[in-house]
Amino acid sequence: MTRSTRLRFTGIAAVATVALAACGGAAGSRASGSSAPVDGGDLTIARAQDIISMDKTTTFDNNSIYVMEQIMEPLFTVSADGTKVEPYLATDYTVSADKLTYTIKLRKGVTFSDGKPLTAADVKFSIDEDTKTGGDGWGFINTAIDQVKAVDDSTVEVKLKYAWAPLLADLSLFSNGIVPNNYGGKTAQEFYQAPVGTGPFVWDRWQKGQYVKVTANKKYWSPKKPHLASVTWTVVPDANTRKLQLQGGQIDVDDTPDWSSFSSMKNAPGINAQTFPSTRMDYISLNQQRQPFQDVHVRRAIAYALDRNAMVKAVLYGNGTPATSLLSPGTPFFDKNAGGATYDVAKAKQELAQSSVPQGFSTSLLIASGNPDQASVAQIMQSELKAIGIDLKITQLDPTANKQARLKSDFDMAMQAWTMDIPDPDEWTSFAVDPAGGSHSSFTYYNNPAVIALNKQAQTEIDNTKRADLYSQLQKTTSEDAYLTYLYYSPYVFAMTDKVKGFAVTPLGNYHLEDVYKAK
Amino acid sequence: MLDRFRFVPLRLLQSIPVIFGVTVVVFFMVHLLPGNPALAILGQTATPARVASLSHQLGLDKPLWDQYLLFLGHLVQGNLGTSITYQRPVSELVLQAVPITMSLLLFALVLALVISVPLAAVAASAPGRARDLAVRAFTLVGQGMPQFWVGIMLILLLAVKAKAFPVGGYGESALEHWYYLFLPALTLAIAMCPTIIRSLRASTINVLGSDYVGTARSKGAAGVALFRLHVVRNAAIPTVSIIGVNLGYLVGGSLVIERVFAVPGLGSLMINAIFARDFPTIQAVALVVALFVIVVGILTDVVYTAIDPRVDLGSRELA
């Protein structure tokens, strides 16, 4: 299908700032295996953390989002490969000649789990509720929307303030998931205690700190789905305990085992340890408010000094690839020739020699405590930077304190990671290169007017070929500027018993449990 | 007889300033941590403006003293506040976790006694002989092994290999709860045993050498009957205090063990609350733990008084 249109973008780029990970919608059938799906059974997924809230409009926590996506569904969803938007609760749409009006047809025969039919009024209410949250929730994602109108029971009209390329991608975000009009007569707070949607599963109960459970929606619109009778997400903070629970047959899926457990489970009998392509990139932010990071030669020297292959080997046990661009390979318009630096000590020394600090300097790297991956990367970096004369001190702060330091740009260098929420690069590029995007260019204070202009042009460019070209230029220039030190791309990782079939994760991190079943 | 327990209400009264002290220390220590809950709640792209707005909404921008007085005011009314993470009353979360941790501790204590008493008796009945040496070796090994490691080993052996017990979690029904708690309780019990066995063994040897046991023996008492009638009660007195002190420590140990076994008790609640900077929850858990330690202290004295008729804590304290 055609990607949405784009024209002029006048709003602030903050519109496109979106939180880490999580993402909207999901995709069609991915059931694997040759035998027919088995109906029934409970799928138990163990994760390190509990959910926080089911309020789709204000929740930024992935664990919560992956659960709410099973209950509330958006009009569009991301394709299995994560690069396209597909109709979901919508079946069809048309765009006006001026690209300002989208007329969307709703899928017929869809009911909420309480039996009430899905209507355009529900859609209008759901999107408006999200928009209303503005900067305090996910509402900023809808900034381009002027109004949503229910034309008739099965037709919705979305009018835009200006043509906006990522509209359908935005509508595929979970925050635009559809709930009953007026929350079925409840307050928002009451409603999200036990949300109702059109999704394959129905809210059952939440024992805080222990587990959250959903059961099959008997009225689900996709015939014969879901296969599972219920899904339970249990809270198991310790990675080793999750691994043992999986081996002991107490759980079916271990969500995000650490890399060392993962490699040991790869060959374990009865266990299927799998990676799924993601949009995750780990990178270092170089704070240009601090010396000497305004100097492009210093930034390039650091970029050349790092052996990313060694990091992938040591940290990810080989399950990843060195990062070479601002965008990840799973993101639309990724350019594999973006020219990100690769390991070259001679070049690193040469760049440093040309810089304002030819004799080297001392600096620090902020990482999150309790994160073995970041600790290993930091140690590798320490020794590699030492080789070119940079003395690196490692600062560890627990995740919340770490975030505070990054928000205040209170660091020299900081290790960060990004995953996409929508299948459109704009979410990330506006955050990463536009100082007005809310984060001072990912907390670096990087400010290159040429790059900012490219990003704005790409937001409103209608033609996909031209858009790809704009994003290519953007990726090349940011690589030359080396304002972020790209580290590596890593996949999502799950371990499950070999009885679990049809479990797949999109590059945006979400999964479709209506396709999953447990073999006998 | 009851008169001897009149120290209990006094002790409870004395605990009020202790609890007050705990609230002061916990409240201000928690707020010394960098980072606030708004940061933990908002996503990666949270702008400083959004953090400020949410902080205001949560009342985190008020002066610390005001926040503390507000907390104290609510506490006096029995209101522990609202969890910032879950937006639910903290009391609800704590009430859900307290029975779990308490069951775990109680279970651990029972198991520790079931293991320790016979072993101590066996060892004390023949000091210096092979069985005594074996028991003493066991206590040394027990003391030397870190708790979390014992936990993981038990999981590997009894849960993963033998599949006799679940690897972790808490189960759904009451019966399941005990089944699920067995391994974590055993882990804690193994940590407690060495101290109990050593103390019990020493006091038993002492009692066995005393004149009245000699007299009892000369009158024909022997074996289990001798232990039951003449030895156990007297030998238990020093051990009771040791168990009391240990139970206090055990709460700390249970935090680690709850994590290893994914038991959703106070420890798990506390750790998550600290990472999320969920101040009201951290304060509530710290308070509950302090209360628990105080109650255990009082209970220890009650048991102490009950088994040794010569003890009269009341007279000493009231004098």
Side-chain angles (χ1 to χ4, degrees), chain A residues 18 50 135 241 250 398 400 403, chain B residues 39 42 45 50 86 167-168 260:
Chain A
V18 179
D50 197 7
T241 308
Q250 202 179 325
D398 87 286
T400 305
K403 197 155 151 192
Chain B
L39 279 165
L42 291 173
T45 59
R50 261 163 71 201
Y86 289 123
V167 175
V260 171

Side-chain angles (χ1 to χ4, degrees), chain B residues 132-216:
Chain B
D132 179 35
L133 292 177
V135 170
R136 283 162 73 187
F138 167 77
T139 63
L140 273 179
V141 173
Q143 225 156 15
M145 293 186 298
Q147 273 185 40
F148 70 89
W149 185 82
V150 172
I152 291 170
M153 285 303 122
L154 287 176
I155 292 178
L156 278 175
L157 285 175
L158 297 177
V160 177
K161 283 261 183 306
K163 297 204 191 298
F165 292 96
V167 175
Y170 186 53
E172 305 246 348
S173 62
L175 203 68
E176 263 182 32
H177 292 340
W178 294 110
Y179 179 50
Y180 275 73
L181 286 182
F182 179 78
L183 285 188
L186 183 62
T187 310
L188 287 174
I190 288 175
M192 269 179 100
C193 281
T195 329
I196 300 180
I197 293 175
R198 281 163 163 267
S199 141
L200 209 52
R201 174 185 167 276
S203 56
T204 307
I205 290 171
N206 213 356
V207 171
L208 281 174
S210 65
D211 294 343
Y212 62 85
V213 172
T215 314

Side-chain angles (χ1 to χ4, degrees), chain A residues 397-419:
Chain A
L397 288 177
D398 87 286
T400 305
N402 181 304
K403 197 155 151 192
Q404 170 158 296
R406 279 180 289 142
L407 272 186
K408 291 182 175 163
S409 288
D410 183 13
F411 61 85
D412 296 326
M413 300 164 67
M415 199 179 299
Q416 307 200 69
W418 179 272
T419 56

Side-chain angles (χ1 to χ4, degrees), chain A residues 18-20 50-52 60 135-136 206 208 210 237 241 244-245 247 250 398 400 403-404 407 417-418 431 438, chain B residues 34-35 39 42 44-47 50 53 85-86 88 93 96 156 163 166-168 172 180 259-260 264 275 277:
Chain A
V18 179
L20 174 118
D50 197 7
I51 62 167
I52 292 174
F60 291 87
D136 289 332
W206 177 18
K208 292 180 187 66
Q210 297 182 39
T241 308
L244 293 172
Q245 287 196 348
Q247 289 173 339
Q250 202 179 325
D398 87 286
T400 305
K403 197 155 151 192
Q404 170 158 296
L407 272 186
W418 179 272
F431 177 80
Chain B
L39 279 165
L42 291 173
Q44 163 156 310
T45 59
T47 59
R50 261 163 71 201
S53 129
T85 314
Y86 289 123
R88 306 287 304 161
L93 301 174
Q96 194 182 303
L156 278 175
K163 297 204 191 298
V167 175
E172 305 246 348
Y180 275 73
R259 191 178 164 88
V260 171
F275 279 117
R277 301 292 190 273

Side-chain angles (χ1 to χ4, degrees), chain A residues 224-302:
Chain A
K224 295 190 183 158
K225 287 179 184 176
H227 303 298
L228 295 163
S230 60
V231 181
T232 309
W233 288 266
T234 58
V235 183
V236 184
D238 190 69
N240 195 46
T241 308
R242 287 201 301 278
K243 172 180 149 182
L244 293 172
Q245 287 196 348
L246 187 70
Q247 289 173 339
Q250 202 179 325
I251 58 171
D252 303 301
V253 180
D254 174 1
D255 183 336
T256 319
D258 55 33
W259 288 109
S260 66
S261 317
F262 177 75
S263 65
S264 73
M265 283 190 288
K266 248 180 163 171
N267 301 316
I271 288 177
N272 193 356
Q274 253 185 295
T275 58
F276 300 91
S278 86
T279 53
R280 180 178 169 125
M281 174 171 68
D282 286 65
Y283 62 94
I284 310 281
S285 280
L286 306 170
N287 184 359
Q288 297 194 21
Q289 284 194 314
R290 301 257 177 107
Q291 290 294 346
F293 298 112
Q294 297 94 328
D295 188 337
V296 67
H297 296 295
V298 169
R299 303 197 300 260
R300 284 183 193 154
I302 293 171

Side-chain angles (χ1 to χ4, degrees), chain A residues 19 66 89 115 127 137 318 342 415 476 518 520:
Chain A
Y66 299 151
L89 287 186
I127 297 174
T342 49
M415 199 179 299
K476 285 186 175 123
K518 272 166 83 175
K520 288 255 153 50

Side-chain angles (χ1 to χ4, degrees), chain A residues 495-506:
Chain A
M496 57 201 101
T497 66
D498 56 7
K499 292 200 167 48
V500 178
K501 306 288 180 194
F503 184 86
V505 182
T506 76

